[in-house]
Amino acid sequence: SGTGFFINRVGHIVSNNHVIDSCAAVKVHYKGVATPVTVLATDRANDLSLMKVNVKPDDAFAISAADASLLDDIYVAGYPFGKVVSSSVKVTKGVISALTGIGNNYSNIQIDAALQPGNSGGPIVNLKGNVVGVAVSKLDYKKVIKDWKTIPELTNFGIKSSTVHQFIKANNVSSISGGFMDMSTKDLGAKIQKATVYLDCWMTAQQIKQVMSRKV
């Protein structure tokens, strides 16, 4: 399972490629109903996916025209650990910690907001309610412990909004227009609930075996 978010009112959803990769079927859960999606495009290099579902969402996110700046306040919405904890969307808060990702990957940003399995594909949102990134990964703590003898803390990554813009533009899709004023936490919370979705991936036993056997 993973997270996605609506970018317009006609049902286009953005998420990570690794959330839907190799799935026999992908379903979006919205307002208590599970609906199959159509995968329109994927970008393996930047780990993005674009989908379409026959649903008219109550709200959607604008993809920010400008990338986030260092120390900008952000919120990350998603479904960490799927629905094991609860079926509600969860939100963590943090800042933009760095303007590059692992190995100076300039298509990524680093954030200190907590990410867990299931957060993948979720929106990283600024105070204006615009998406400045897509949650994608965190450091492998086992490798960090082995190499550095310490546990990594709050070192997580997202895909920059400029990269998302190029991806959806290349597929002739656009997001709604962005907001220009800071939102109240109440309004931002309502927007997150209406525009963030839970995604689940249905796979055959053979597909699961193939995924489990892949080298990272």
Short mmCIF file of all heavy atoms in Angstrom, two decimals, residues 61-127:
data_model
loop_
_atom_site.label_atom_id
_atom_site.label_comp_id
_atom_site.label_asym_id
_atom_site.label_seq_id
_atom_site.Cartn_x
_atom_site.Cartn_y
_atom_site.Cartn_z
N PHE A 61 -4.75 19.21 -4.91
CA PHE A 61 -3.57 20.02 -4.60
C PHE A 61 -3.00 20.64 -5.87
O PHE A 61 -2.95 20.00 -6.92
CB PHE A 61 -2.48 19.15 -3.98
CG PHE A 61 -2.73 18.74 -2.56
CD1 PHE A 61 -3.00 17.42 -2.25
CD2 PHE A 61 -2.69 19.67 -1.53
CE1 PHE A 61 -3.21 17.02 -0.94
CE2 PHE A 61 -2.91 19.29 -0.22
CZ PHE A 61 -3.17 17.96 0.08
N ALA A 62 -2.52 21.86 -5.73
CA ALA A 62 -1.73 22.49 -6.78
C ALA A 62 -0.28 22.07 -6.61
O ALA A 62 0.21 21.97 -5.48
CB ALA A 62 -1.84 24.00 -6.69
N ILE A 63 0.39 21.81 -7.72
CA ILE A 63 1.83 21.58 -7.68
C ILE A 63 2.51 22.95 -7.71
O ILE A 63 2.31 23.73 -8.64
CB ILE A 63 2.31 20.74 -8.87
CG1 ILE A 63 1.49 19.46 -9.01
CG2 ILE A 63 3.80 20.42 -8.74
CD1 ILE A 63 1.58 18.53 -7.84
N SER A 64 3.28 23.26 -6.68
CA SER A 64 3.90 24.58 -6.57
C SER A 64 4.75 24.90 -7.80
O SER A 64 5.53 24.07 -8.27
CB SER A 64 4.77 24.65 -5.31
OG SER A 64 5.44 25.88 -5.23
N ALA A 65 4.61 26.12 -8.30
CA ALA A 65 5.39 26.55 -9.46
C ALA A 65 6.85 26.76 -9.10
O ALA A 65 7.73 26.66 -9.95
CB ALA A 65 4.80 27.82 -10.05
N ALA A 66 7.11 27.06 -7.83
CA ALA A 66 8.48 27.29 -7.37
C ALA A 66 8.89 26.21 -6.38
O ALA A 66 8.08 25.76 -5.55
CB ALA A 66 8.59 28.67 -6.71
N ASP A 67 10.13 25.77 -6.48
CA ASP A 67 10.63 24.79 -5.52
C ASP A 67 10.70 25.41 -4.12
O ASP A 67 10.81 26.63 -3.97
CB ASP A 67 12.02 24.29 -5.93
CG ASP A 67 11.96 23.29 -7.07
OD1 ASP A 67 10.94 22.58 -7.18
OD2 ASP A 67 12.93 23.22 -7.85
N ALA A 68 10.66 24.56 -3.13
CA ALA A 68 10.74 25.01 -1.75
C ALA A 68 12.12 25.60 -1.45
O ALA A 68 13.11 25.28 -2.11
CB ALA A 68 10.45 23.85 -0.81
N SER A 69 12.18 26.45 -0.44
CA SER A 69 13.43 27.04 0.01
C SER A 69 13.87 26.38 1.31
O SER A 69 13.06 25.79 2.03
CB SER A 69 13.27 28.55 0.24
OG SER A 69 12.89 29.20 -0.95
N LEU A 70 15.15 26.49 1.61
CA LEU A 70 15.69 25.94 2.84
C LEU A 70 14.95 26.53 4.05
O LEU A 70 14.70 27.74 4.11
CB LEU A 70 17.18 26.25 2.93
CG LEU A 70 18.00 25.47 3.96
CD1 LEU A 70 18.05 24.00 3.59
CD2 LEU A 70 19.42 26.04 4.06
N LEU A 71 14.58 25.66 4.98
CA LEU A 71 13.90 25.98 6.24
C LEU A 71 12.42 26.31 6.08
O LEU A 71 11.76 26.68 7.05
CB LEU A 71 14.60 27.13 6.97
CG LEU A 71 15.98 26.81 7.53
CD1 LEU A 71 16.56 28.03 8.26
CD2 LEU A 71 15.95 25.62 8.48
N ASP A 72 11.87 26.17 4.87
CA ASP A 72 10.42 26.32 4.73
C ASP A 72 9.70 25.30 5.60
O ASP A 72 10.10 24.14 5.69
CB ASP A 72 10.00 26.09 3.27
CG ASP A 72 10.18 27.32 2.40
OD1 ASP A 72 10.59 28.37 2.93
OD2 ASP A 72 9.94 27.22 1.18
N ASP A 73 8.61 25.73 6.23
CA ASP A 73 7.77 24.81 7.00
C ASP A 73 6.96 23.95 6.03
O ASP A 73 6.43 24.45 5.02
CB ASP A 73 6.81 25.57 7.91
CG ASP A 73 7.52 26.26 9.06
OD1 ASP A 73 8.46 25.66 9.61
OD2 ASP A 73 7.13 27.39 9.40
N ILE A 74 6.85 22.66 6.35
CA ILE A 74 6.08 21.76 5.49
C ILE A 74 5.30 20.74 6.33
O ILE A 74 5.62 20.50 7.50
CB ILE A 74 7.00 21.01 4.49
CG1 ILE A 74 8.19 20.34 5.18
CG2 ILE A 74 7.46 21.94 3.40
CD1 ILE A 74 7.99 18.93 5.58
N TYR A 75 4.28 20.16 5.71
CA TYR A 75 3.53 19.04 6.27
C TYR A 75 3.58 17.89 5.28
O TYR A 75 3.55 18.10 4.07
CB TYR A 75 2.07 19.43 6.52
CG TYR A 75 1.85 20.50 7.55
CD1 TYR A 75 1.78 21.84 7.18
CD2 TYR A 75 1.71 20.18 8.90
CE1 TYR A 75 1.57 22.83 8.12
CE2 TYR A 75 1.50 21.16 9.86
CZ TYR A 75 1.43 22.49 9.46
OH TYR A 75 1.23 23.46 10.39
N VAL A 76 3.65 16.67 5.80
CA VAL A 76 3.61 15.47 4.97
C VAL A 76 2.37 14.67 5.33
O VAL A 76 2.15 14.35 6.52
CB VAL A 76 4.86 14.60 5.15
CG1 VAL A 76 4.79 13.37 4.25
CG2 VAL A 76 6.12 15.39 4.86
N ALA A 77 1.55 14.36 4.33
CA ALA A 77 0.32 13.60 4.56
C ALA A 77 0.44 12.21 3.96
O ALA A 77 1.09 12.03 2.92
CB ALA A 77 -0.87 14.34 3.95
N GLY A 78 -0.17 11.23 4.60
CA GLY A 78 -0.12 9.89 4.04
C GLY A 78 -0.72 8.84 4.95
O GLY A 78 -1.39 9.16 5.95
N TYR A 79 -0.42 7.60 4.60
CA TYR A 79 -0.96 6.45 5.32
C TYR A 79 0.18 5.54 5.77
O TYR A 79 0.37 4.45 5.23
CB TYR A 79 -1.95 5.70 4.44
CG TYR A 79 -3.19 6.50 4.14
CD1 TYR A 79 -3.25 7.37 3.07
CD2 TYR A 79 -4.31 6.42 4.97
CE1 TYR A 79 -4.37 8.13 2.80
CE2 TYR A 79 -5.45 7.17 4.72
CZ TYR A 79 -5.47 8.02 3.63
OH TYR A 79 -6.60 8.77 3.38
N PRO A 80 0.98 6.01 6.76
CA PRO A 80 2.09 5.19 7.25
C PRO A 80 1.57 3.87 7.82
O PRO A 80 0.57 3.85 8.55
CB PRO A 80 2.73 6.05 8.34
CG PRO A 80 1.64 7.01 8.76
CD PRO A 80 0.84 7.26 7.52
N PHE A 81 2.24 2.78 7.44
CA PHE A 81 1.84 1.42 7.85
C PHE A 81 0.46 1.06 7.34
O PHE A 81 -0.27 0.26 7.96
CB PHE A 81 1.93 1.26 9.37
CG PHE A 81 3.27 1.60 9.94
CD1 PHE A 81 3.43 2.72 10.76
CD2 PHE A 81 4.38 0.84 9.65
CE1 PHE A 81 4.66 3.05 11.28
CE2 PHE A 81 5.63 1.17 10.16
CZ PHE A 81 5.77 2.28 10.97
N GLY A 82 0.08 1.65 6.21
CA GLY A 82 -1.22 1.33 5.62
C GLY A 82 -2.35 1.73 6.53
O GLY A 82 -2.40 2.84 7.03
N LYS A 83 -3.26 0.79 6.76
CA LYS A 83 -4.39 1.06 7.66
C LYS A 83 -4.30 0.25 8.94
O LYS A 83 -5.30 0.07 9.65
CB LYS A 83 -5.70 0.76 6.93
CG LYS A 83 -5.97 1.69 5.76
CD LYS A 83 -7.34 1.45 5.16
CE LYS A 83 -7.65 2.45 4.05
NZ LYS A 83 -8.99 2.25 3.47
N VAL A 84 -3.08 -0.22 9.25
CA VAL A 84 -2.91 -1.03 10.46
C VAL A 84 -3.19 -0.21 11.71
O VAL A 84 -3.85 -0.66 12.64
CB VAL A 84 -1.49 -1.63 10.51
CG1 VAL A 84 -1.25 -2.32 11.83
CG2 VAL A 84 -1.28 -2.60 9.36
N VAL A 85 -2.66 1.02 11.75
CA VAL A 85 -2.87 1.88 12.91
C VAL A 85 -4.30 2.40 12.93
O VAL A 85 -5.02 2.29 13.92
CB VAL A 85 -1.87 3.06 12.91
CG1 VAL A 85 -2.13 3.99 14.10
CG2 VAL A 85 -0.43 2.55 12.96
N SER A 86 -4.73 2.99 11.82
CA SER A 86 -6.11 3.45 11.65
C SER A 86 -6.29 3.79 10.18
O SER A 86 -5.32 3.89 9.42
CB SER A 86 -6.42 4.67 12.52
OG SER A 86 -5.81 5.83 12.01
N SER A 87 -7.54 4.02 9.79
CA SER A 87 -7.82 4.31 8.38
C SER A 87 -7.73 5.80 8.07
O SER A 87 -7.88 6.20 6.93
CB SER A 87 -9.21 3.79 8.00
OG SER A 87 -10.19 4.40 8.81
N SER A 88 -7.47 6.62 9.07
CA SER A 88 -7.38 8.07 8.87
C SER A 88 -6.06 8.46 8.23
O SER A 88 -5.03 7.82 8.46
CB SER A 88 -7.53 8.80 10.21
OG SER A 88 -8.77 8.55 10.81
N VAL A 89 -6.09 9.53 7.46
CA VAL A 89 -4.84 10.09 6.95
C VAL A 89 -4.04 10.64 8.13
O VAL A 89 -4.61 11.16 9.09
CB VAL A 89 -5.12 11.18 5.89
CG1 VAL A 89 -5.81 12.39 6.49
CG2 VAL A 89 -3.85 11.58 5.17
N LYS A 90 -2.71 10.49 8.06
CA LYS A 90 -1.85 11.00 9.12
C LYS A 90 -0.97 12.12 8.58
O LYS A 90 -0.60 12.11 7.40
CB LYS A 90 -0.94 9.90 9.69
CG LYS A 90 -1.66 8.90 10.60
CD LYS A 90 -2.28 7.82 9.77
CE LYS A 90 -2.88 6.72 10.65
NZ LYS A 90 -3.67 5.76 9.83
N VAL A 91 -0.60 13.05 9.45
CA VAL A 91 0.19 14.20 9.04
C VAL A 91 1.36 14.38 9.99
O VAL A 91 1.20 14.30 11.21
CB VAL A 91 -0.66 15.49 9.01
CG1 VAL A 91 0.19 16.68 8.59
CG2 VAL A 91 -1.85 15.34 8.09
N THR A 92 2.55 14.61 9.43
CA THR A 92 3.71 14.98 10.23
C THR A 92 4.19 16.34 9.77
O THR A 92 3.93 16.76 8.64
CB THR A 92 4.85 13.95 10.11
OG1 THR A 92 5.19 13.76 8.73
CG2 THR A 92 4.44 12.61 10.71
N LYS A 93 4.91 17.04 10.65
CA LYS A 93 5.34 18.41 10.37
C LYS A 93 6.85 18.52 10.43
O LYS A 93 7.50 17.81 11.21
CB LYS A 93 4.72 19.37 11.38
CG LYS A 93 5.02 20.84 11.12
CD LYS A 93 4.36 21.72 12.16
CE LYS A 93 4.67 23.19 11.89
NZ LYS A 93 4.04 24.07 12.91
N GLY A 94 7.43 19.38 9.61
CA GLY A 94 8.87 19.58 9.64
C GLY A 94 9.28 20.77 8.82
O GLY A 94 8.48 21.68 8.56
N VAL A 95 10.55 20.76 8.39
CA VAL A 95 11.09 21.82 7.56
C VAL A 95 11.87 21.21 6.40
O VAL A 95 12.19 20.01 6.41
CB VAL A 95 12.01 22.77 8.34
CG1 VAL A 95 11.27 23.45 9.47
CG2 VAL A 95 13.24 22.03 8.87
N ILE A 96 12.17 22.04 5.41
CA ILE A 96 13.08 21.63 4.35
C ILE A 96 14.49 21.68 4.92
O ILE A 96 15.00 22.74 5.27
CB ILE A 96 12.96 22.56 3.13
CG1 ILE A 96 11.52 22.60 2.61
CG2 ILE A 96 13.93 22.11 2.02
CD1 ILE A 96 10.99 21.29 2.07
N SER A 97 15.13 20.52 5.03
CA SER A 97 16.44 20.42 5.67
C SER A 97 17.58 20.63 4.69
O SER A 97 18.67 21.07 5.07
CB SER A 97 16.61 19.04 6.33
OG SER A 97 15.57 18.78 7.22
N ALA A 98 17.39 20.27 3.43
CA ALA A 98 18.43 20.43 2.40
C ALA A 98 17.75 20.48 1.04
O ALA A 98 16.65 19.93 0.86
CB ALA A 98 19.44 19.29 2.46
N LEU A 99 18.42 21.11 0.09
CA LEU A 99 17.86 21.28 -1.25
C LEU A 99 18.34 20.22 -2.23
O LEU A 99 18.11 20.34 -3.44
CB LEU A 99 18.19 22.68 -1.77
CG LEU A 99 17.64 23.82 -0.91
CD1 LEU A 99 18.02 25.17 -1.50
CD2 LEU A 99 16.12 23.72 -0.74
N THR A 100 18.99 19.18 -1.71
CA THR A 100 19.40 18.05 -2.54
C THR A 100 19.10 16.76 -1.79
O THR A 100 18.89 16.77 -0.57
CB THR A 100 20.91 18.08 -2.86
OG1 THR A 100 21.65 18.08 -1.63
CG2 THR A 100 21.28 19.31 -3.65
N GLY A 101 19.12 15.65 -2.53
CA GLY A 101 18.90 14.35 -1.93
C GLY A 101 20.20 13.59 -1.78
O GLY A 101 21.30 14.18 -1.78
N ILE A 102 20.09 12.28 -1.66
CA ILE A 102 21.26 11.42 -1.48
C ILE A 102 22.17 11.53 -2.70
O ILE A 102 21.71 11.48 -3.84
CB ILE A 102 20.82 9.97 -1.26
CG1 ILE A 102 19.99 9.85 0.03
CG2 ILE A 102 22.03 9.04 -1.18
CD1 ILE A 102 19.37 8.49 0.24
N GLY A 103 23.47 11.66 -2.46
CA GLY A 103 24.43 11.73 -3.56
C GLY A 103 24.25 12.97 -4.42
O GLY A 103 24.49 12.95 -5.62
N ASN A 104 23.84 14.09 -3.78
CA ASN A 104 23.60 15.34 -4.51
C ASN A 104 22.58 15.19 -5.63
O ASN A 104 22.75 15.72 -6.73
CB ASN A 104 24.90 15.91 -5.07
CG ASN A 104 25.80 16.50 -3.99
OD1 ASN A 104 25.30 16.98 -2.98
ND2 ASN A 104 27.09 16.45 -4.20
N ASN A 105 21.53 14.46 -5.34
CA ASN A 105 20.42 14.31 -6.29
C ASN A 105 19.59 15.59 -6.26
O ASN A 105 18.81 15.83 -5.34
CB ASN A 105 19.57 13.11 -5.91
CG ASN A 105 18.41 12.88 -6.86
OD1 ASN A 105 18.13 13.71 -7.73
ND2 ASN A 105 17.73 11.77 -6.70
N TYR A 106 19.75 16.43 -7.29
CA TYR A 106 19.11 17.75 -7.29
C TYR A 106 17.64 17.71 -7.67
O TYR A 106 16.98 18.75 -7.70
CB TYR A 106 19.88 18.70 -8.21
CG TYR A 106 21.18 19.15 -7.60
CD1 TYR A 106 22.37 18.49 -7.90
CD2 TYR A 106 21.22 20.21 -6.69
CE1 TYR A 106 23.57 18.88 -7.32
CE2 TYR A 106 22.41 20.59 -6.10
CZ TYR A 106 23.58 19.94 -6.42
OH TYR A 106 24.76 20.32 -5.83
N SER A 107 17.11 16.53 -7.97
CA SER A 107 15.67 16.42 -8.19
C SER A 107 14.93 16.16 -6.87
O SER A 107 13.70 16.12 -6.85
CB SER A 107 15.36 15.29 -9.17
OG SER A 107 15.64 14.03 -8.61
N ASN A 108 15.69 16.01 -5.78
CA ASN A 108 15.12 15.72 -4.47
C ASN A 108 15.38 16.84 -3.47
O ASN A 108 16.26 17.67 -3.67
CB ASN A 108 15.71 14.43 -3.90
CG ASN A 108 15.10 13.16 -4.48
OD1 ASN A 108 15.31 12.08 -3.96
ND2 ASN A 108 14.36 13.28 -5.58
N ILE A 109 14.58 16.83 -2.42
CA ILE A 109 14.81 17.66 -1.24
C ILE A 109 14.91 16.75 -0.03
O ILE A 109 14.43 15.61 -0.06
CB ILE A 109 13.68 18.69 -1.02
CG1 ILE A 109 12.29 17.98 -1.08
CG2 ILE A 109 13.76 19.84 -1.99
CD1 ILE A 109 11.13 18.88 -0.76
N GLN A 110 15.54 17.24 1.02
CA GLN A 110 15.60 16.51 2.28
C GLN A 110 14.69 17.21 3.28
O GLN A 110 14.64 18.44 3.35
CB GLN A 110 17.03 16.48 2.82
CG GLN A 110 17.17 15.69 4.12
CD GLN A 110 18.61 15.65 4.63
OE1 GLN A 110 19.54 15.53 3.84
NE2 GLN A 110 18.78 15.76 5.93
N ILE A 111 13.94 16.42 4.04
CA ILE A 111 13.02 16.96 5.05
C ILE A 111 13.25 16.26 6.38
O ILE A 111 13.79 15.15 6.42
CB ILE A 111 11.55 16.78 4.61
CG1 ILE A 111 11.21 15.29 4.45
CG2 ILE A 111 11.27 17.55 3.32
CD1 ILE A 111 9.74 15.02 4.14
N ASP A 112 12.82 16.91 7.47
CA ASP A 112 12.95 16.26 8.78
C ASP A 112 11.60 15.78 9.31
O ASP A 112 11.52 15.24 10.41
CB ASP A 112 13.64 17.17 9.79
CG ASP A 112 12.80 18.38 10.19
OD1 ASP A 112 11.74 18.62 9.57
OD2 ASP A 112 13.21 19.10 11.12
N ALA A 113 10.53 15.95 8.53
CA ALA A 113 9.23 15.39 8.91
C ALA A 113 9.31 13.86 8.80
O ALA A 113 9.91 13.32 7.88
CB ALA A 113 8.13 15.92 8.00
N ALA A 114 8.71 13.18 9.77
CA ALA A 114 8.81 11.72 9.83
C ALA A 114 8.12 11.05 8.64
O ALA A 114 7.04 11.47 8.22
CB ALA A 114 8.19 11.22 11.14
N LEU A 115 8.77 10.02 8.10
CA LEU A 115 8.20 9.17 7.06
C LEU A 115 8.30 7.73 7.51
O LEU A 115 9.27 7.33 8.14
CB LEU A 115 8.96 9.32 5.73
CG LEU A 115 8.95 10.66 5.01
CD1 LEU A 115 9.71 10.54 3.70
CD2 LEU A 115 7.53 11.13 4.76
N GLN A 116 7.28 6.95 7.16
CA GLN A 116 7.25 5.52 7.46
C GLN A 116 6.80 4.78 6.19
O GLN A 116 6.28 5.40 5.26
CB GLN A 116 6.26 5.23 8.60
CG GLN A 116 6.45 6.06 9.85
CD GLN A 116 7.75 5.80 10.58
OE1 GLN A 116 8.43 4.81 10.32
NE2 GLN A 116 8.11 6.69 11.49
N PRO A 117 6.99 3.44 6.16
CA PRO A 117 6.42 2.68 5.04
C PRO A 117 4.93 2.97 4.91
O PRO A 117 4.19 2.95 5.90
CB PRO A 117 6.67 1.23 5.46
CG PRO A 117 7.87 1.29 6.35
CD PRO A 117 7.74 2.58 7.11
N GLY A 118 4.50 3.27 3.72
CA GLY A 118 3.11 3.66 3.49
C GLY A 118 2.96 5.14 3.20
O GLY A 118 1.97 5.58 2.62
N ASN A 119 3.96 5.95 3.64
CA ASN A 119 3.96 7.38 3.32
C ASN A 119 4.35 7.65 1.87
O ASN A 119 4.10 8.73 1.33
CB ASN A 119 4.93 8.15 4.21
CG ASN A 119 4.32 8.63 5.51
OD1 ASN A 119 4.76 8.26 6.59
ND2 ASN A 119 3.29 9.46 5.40
N SER A 120 4.98 6.67 1.24
CA SER A 120 5.48 6.86 -0.12
C SER A 120 4.38 7.37 -1.06
O SER A 120 3.27 6.83 -1.09
CB SER A 120 6.02 5.54 -0.67
OG SER A 120 7.19 5.15 0.00
N GLY A 121 4.73 8.40 -1.83
CA GLY A 121 3.78 8.97 -2.77
C GLY A 121 2.91 10.06 -2.20
O GLY A 121 2.11 10.67 -2.92
N GLY A 122 3.05 10.32 -0.91
CA GLY A 122 2.22 11.34 -0.27
C GLY A 122 2.69 12.75 -0.55
O GLY A 122 3.86 12.99 -0.86
N PRO A 123 1.80 13.74 -0.43
CA PRO A 123 2.16 15.12 -0.72
C PRO A 123 2.96 15.76 0.42
O PRO A 123 2.66 15.56 1.60
CB PRO A 123 0.80 15.81 -0.86
CG PRO A 123 -0.10 15.02 0.06
CD PRO A 123 0.36 13.60 -0.06
N ILE A 124 3.98 16.52 0.05
CA ILE A 124 4.69 17.39 0.98
C ILE A 124 4.16 18.79 0.69
O ILE A 124 4.34 19.32 -0.40
CB ILE A 124 6.21 17.32 0.76
CG1 ILE A 124 6.71 15.89 0.94
CG2 ILE A 124 6.93 18.27 1.72
CD1 ILE A 124 8.18 15.69 0.58
N VAL A 125 3.48 19.37 1.66
CA VAL A 125 2.66 20.56 1.43
C VAL A 125 3.20 21.75 2.21
O VAL A 125 3.59 21.61 3.38
CB VAL A 125 1.20 20.28 1.85
CG1 VAL A 125 0.30 21.45 1.49
CG2 VAL A 125 0.68 19.00 1.21
N ASN A 126 3.21 22.94 1.57
CA ASN A 126 3.63 24.13 2.29
C ASN A 126 2.42 24.79 2.97
O ASN A 126 1.29 24.28 2.90
CB ASN A 126 4.37 25.11 1.37
CG ASN A 126 3.49 25.66 0.24
OD1 ASN A 126 2.27 25.56 0.26
ND2 ASN A 126 4.14 26.26 -0.75
N LEU A 127 2.66 25.92 3.62
CA LEU A 127 1.60 26.56 4.40
C LEU A 127 0.49 27.13 3.53
O LEU A 127 -0.60 27.43 4.02
CB LEU A 127 2.20 27.66 5.28
CG LEU A 127 3.26 27.21 6.29
CD1 LEU A 127 3.71 28.40 7.13
CD2 LEU A 127 2.73 26.09 7.19
#
